[in-house]
Amino acid sequence: MTQKAGWRPYLAPLILALAVWVYGPAVFTAVLSVMKWNLTTPPSGLVGLDNYASLFRHPEFARAAGQTILSALALLPFATIIPLVLAVMLWQRPGRASVVYRALLFVPVVVAPVAVATAWKFLLNPLQGLMNRILEVFGIPPVNWLGDPGTALLVLVAITAAKVVAFNLVLYTATLSGIDRALVSAAELEGATRWEISRFIVGPHVARTTVVLALLSVVLAGQWTFTSVSVLTQGGPDGVTDSVYYRIYALGFQFFDTGAASAAGVLVLLAFAVLATAWSVVRRSRRASH
Amino acid sequence: MHPTDRLRPAVAHALWHLVLAGASLAMAFPMLWSLLTSFKGPQDVFSPSPLPWPATLDNYAAVLSSWPVGMLVGNTFIMSAGVAAGQLVIAVLAGFALVVLAPRMRPAVLSACTIALAVPPQAIIIPQFLLTTRLGWQNSELGLIVPQLGTSALAVLLLVEHVAAVPAAQIEAAALQGARPIETLWHVVLPAIRPAILAVGILVFITTWNEYLWPLLIAPRSHDATVQIGLAQFQGEGGTDYGALMAASVLTSLPIVVVYIIASRRIIDSFIKAGLRP
């Protein structure tokens, strides 16, 4: 259809929504980051890079950034190899059992993070929780999982890991269902083993999805951890579960330091711009290899 | 040659069940345990025995009488349905424009959507919050719904491919018969992509239902709150009544899990069509 006129009203709602609630706020965050502003008082003028300087003067932000990156790296296997193996296993033997397993494996994608955090708080109760009861059987003294700086970040990464595995399992399942079953049957008739099918048919099919998922999960995982941190630890104990996302929230809505929170937001956006550039390089190489 | 191929098929099959059953249990365990605990009496709440015996519904009775479940669920339902409906309208209109009316805009607009998708919500939340409060939308469904339409990008990326899959001949035939674009959209495109609309709508509904940060900032007061905020507050206050807490947790998440399991096939199909195939 060649009605060139008249597309504007169709595209306007999307453009408006993106401009007002995403791109506008991103620009405004940058503006706020060079202003001195406490949410309770009117803005009192430009302060240049003072807000950034203050972020780097206090060790909390650098520490939160380090922990965010560490968590993302720890989540990489849960974003790639683990959901891939599970997805291939489900794909190999379609049937009623697969349907049941798939439904159970998808649970962490849909259950509210608050409900999951609540369940873990109960399971990890230092006095009577199931986890410590199990340790007791093996003669291990009780652990204060969420109160001990040595274990708290581990617990939060594990909670997020379940969600990352489940989410990427959905995406791998979608990718695998694009494989032509007839091709697989033909390979089987030719006497190909299951391993050879995985290696020569499935492997090439999912290789690039894996790169994309690794990047995507780095993007999303920190945000997914936010709710667990907010409900379970509020960044503690001793700041070990703090992340840049929680820091922005704490600076902006607990200390009402709009300037510093916005500066932190800009630094996160810059980090993402770097990641996005990496992503587009991968995509370009993907297109070139086709 | 892979080791399992040397084993007898029955052993390989048993191994397959073992790994998947183990993984399934690990993944669903916290929610399964919450479900089981919600039927335990106060003396058994911390019991390591999985079976709730004697089983009781007292926890549910306690939650329903002391916690405004109906109101919280109502608030959350309005928010989730509003966001899902709004995003679907935005995405269907945009998808139609990008495929049929102005295809040359497609690469640029889809790039803008992809970038918007990658922006972490916390990084832009302060201006969003300031704008919403300036508009006077705090503690209102408007404040909960409208700003969340900014995350329409995913719905657009998913639906545009479905619109593109509608045979061009059908669309051109409608135009030749003198149909206006809106009539073509309504009578030709919408019926063809109805399953995808349903799948994307359910996906957005579930995501919004589980949203925590935005409702926490905009509607923290108990009678405007959503289930997530209510559950977090319930946990903060009455943290010792774990039976009731688990019942509350089950009441607020189980319906969503059931909806998802029923719809998951369709949701996966919509991902496939949106080009997740490499």
Side-chain angles (χ1 to χ4, degrees):
Chain A
M1 191 149 65
T2 48
Q3 279 152 300
K4 288 279 187 276
W7 55 266
R8 285 187 183 82
Y10 292 83
L11 220 42
L14 173 66
I15 306 286
L16 199 68
L18 289 179
V20 173
W21 298 109
V22 181
Y23 287 100
V27 172
F28 200 56
T29 298
V31 173
L32 288 175
S33 77
V34 293
M35 294 175 79
K36 181 95 202 134
W37 192 3
N38 189 305
L39 261 191
T40 50
T41 60
S44 53
L46 295 172
V47 291
L49 297 178
D50 279 9
N51 290 319
Y52 294 90
S54 107
L55 280 184
F56 288 110
R57 210 164 36 242
H58 301 292
E60 287 95 343
F61 184 77
R63 198 174 165 197
Q67 280 156 197
T68 309
I69 293 169
L70 193 70
S71 308
L73 292 178
L75 286 168
L76 277 180
F78 298 96
T80 51
I81 186 73
I82 293 171
L84 175 60
V85 167
L86 292 173
V88 170
M89 288 176 82
L90 288 170
W91 173 81
Q92 278 173 341
R93 295 177 194 264
R96 199 166 298 161
S98 276
V99 172
V100 173
Y101 289 140
R102 189 173 288 139
L104 287 169
L105 289 166
F106 284 176
V107 165
V109 182
V110 274
V111 173
V114 179
V116 174
T118 305
W120 279 109
K121 194 178 183 184
F122 175 61
L123 290 167
L124 299 175
N125 184 297
L127 296 176
Q128 295 169 287
L130 183 69
M131 206 57 90
N132 279 346
R133 286 283 190 89
I134 293 171
L135 291 188
E136 203 182 337
V137 174
F138 297 99
I140 301 169
V143 176
N144 186 1
W145 296 97
L146 293 165
D148 184 335
T151 50
L153 185 60
L154 201 67
V155 169
L156 288 171
V157 169
I159 294 174
T160 309
K163 180 151 180 173
V164 171
V165 168
F167 185 78
N168 287 358
L169 184 60
V170 175
L171 300 184
Y172 272 125
T173 302
T175 308
L176 287 173
S177 55
I179 295 180
D180 190 355
R181 288 263 173 198
L183 186 64
V184 177
S185 307
E188 274 167 351
L189 281 178
E190 298 286 327
T193 63
R194 185 163 288 151
W195 167 245
E196 284 162 349
I197 290 171
S198 305
R199 168 71 184 78
F200 295 107
I201 299 178
V202 179
H205 195 83
V206 298
R208 289 189 185 84
T209 306
T210 302
V211 177
V212 173
L213 288 184
L215 281 170
L216 189 68
S217 57
V218 168
V219 171
L220 295 174
Q223 301 158 36
W224 285 343
T225 319
F226 179 88
T227 307
S228 317
V229 173
S230 172
V231 173
L232 292 176
T233 62
Q234 294 86 45
D238 269 351
V240 294
T241 59
D242 206 359
S243 71
V244 286
Y245 307 106
Y246 194 74
R247 198 94 300 267
I248 294 172
Y249 167 77
L251 284 170
F253 297 98
Q254 287 171 351
F255 302 109
F256 303 113
D257 189 344
T258 311
S262 301
V266 169
L267 291 177
V268 170
L269 286 174
L270 283 178
F272 272 76
V274 172
L275 271 178
T277 311
W279 181 306
S280 73
V281 168
V282 169
R283 281 185 72 108
R284 206 163 302 141
S285 73
R286 169 182 171 177
R287 225 168 280 146
S289 71
H290 264 251
Chain B
M1 196 165 172
H2 193 268
T4 53
D5 286 323
R6 258 177 260 139
L7 302 172
R8 293 213 319 278
V11 178
H13 199 178
L15 206 63
W16 182 87
H17 275 292
L18 195 69
V19 171
L20 284 171
S24 302
L25 186 67
M27 297 280 277
F29 184 75
M31 285 326 288
L32 285 178
W33 197 263
S34 298
L35 183 65
L36 293 168
T37 304
S38 70
F39 296 111
K40 290 178 179 176
Q43 71 287 354
D44 304 323
V45 160
F46 280 107
S47 154
S49 153
L51 288 182
W53 197 258
T56 170
L57 288 174
D58 288 358
N59 294 319
Y60 288 91
V63 168
L64 290 171
S65 67
S66 70
W67 204 46
V69 183
M71 198 172 61
L72 294 170
V73 167
N75 291 340
T76 319
F77 186 87
I78 295 171
M79 172 181 81
S80 308
V83 172
Q87 291 202 6
L88 283 178
V89 169
I90 289 174
V92 168
L93 289 174
F96 184 66
L98 295 177
V99 172
V100 177
L101 301 175
R104 73 205 146 78
M105 309 275 290
R106 189 163 153 184
V109 173
L110 293 189
S111 297
C113 284
T114 309
I115 294 169
L117 207 57
V119 172
Q122 289 87 355
I124 54 173
I125 202 138
I126 287 174
Q128 288 177 332
F129 177 78
L130 293 174
L131 178 56
T132 308
T133 50
R134 288 293 181 283
L135 289 166
W137 287 354
Q138 243 176 326
N139 299 307
S140 78
E141 289 289 354
L142 267 183
L144 287 173
I145 293 170
V146 177
Q148 294 197 63
L149 298 182
T151 54
S152 297
L154 182 63
V156 174
L157 292 172
L158 289 174
L159 280 180
V160 76
E161 300 299 331
H162 289 267
V163 177
V166 178
Q170 282 183 24
I171 294 171
E172 271 159 25
L176 284 177
Q177 284 169 20
R180 287 176 297 139
I182 190 75
E183 291 167 340
T184 309
L185 173 59
W186 188 258
H187 294 294
V188 178
V189 175
L190 270 190
I193 62 168
R194 198 175 291 144
I197 290 179
L198 191 66
V200 174
I202 289 170
L203 193 67
V204 176
F205 184 93
I206 292 174
T207 315
T208 314
W209 184 280
N210 290 342
E211 179 62 33
Y212 174 72
L213 177 56
W214 188 249
L216 177 70
L217 296 178
I218 292 303
R221 293 193 314 208
S222 61
H223 53 275
D224 306 309
T226 65
V227 285
Q228 308 309 334
I229 310 310
L231 190 59
Q233 284 171 354
F234 189 0
Q235 184 206 231
E237 297 156 6
T240 46
D241 190 356
Y242 276 111
L245 188 58
M246 293 303 134
S249 166
V250 168
L251 278 178
T252 56
S253 27
L254 207 60
I256 294 295
V257 175
V258 172
V259 168
Y260 182 77
I261 288 172
I262 293 168
S264 64
R265 183 71 244 162
R266 283 197 162 163
I267 292 176
I268 288 174
D269 283 343
S270 79
F271 274 124
I272 296 168
K273 222 172 198 166
L276 260 168
R277 276 188 277 208

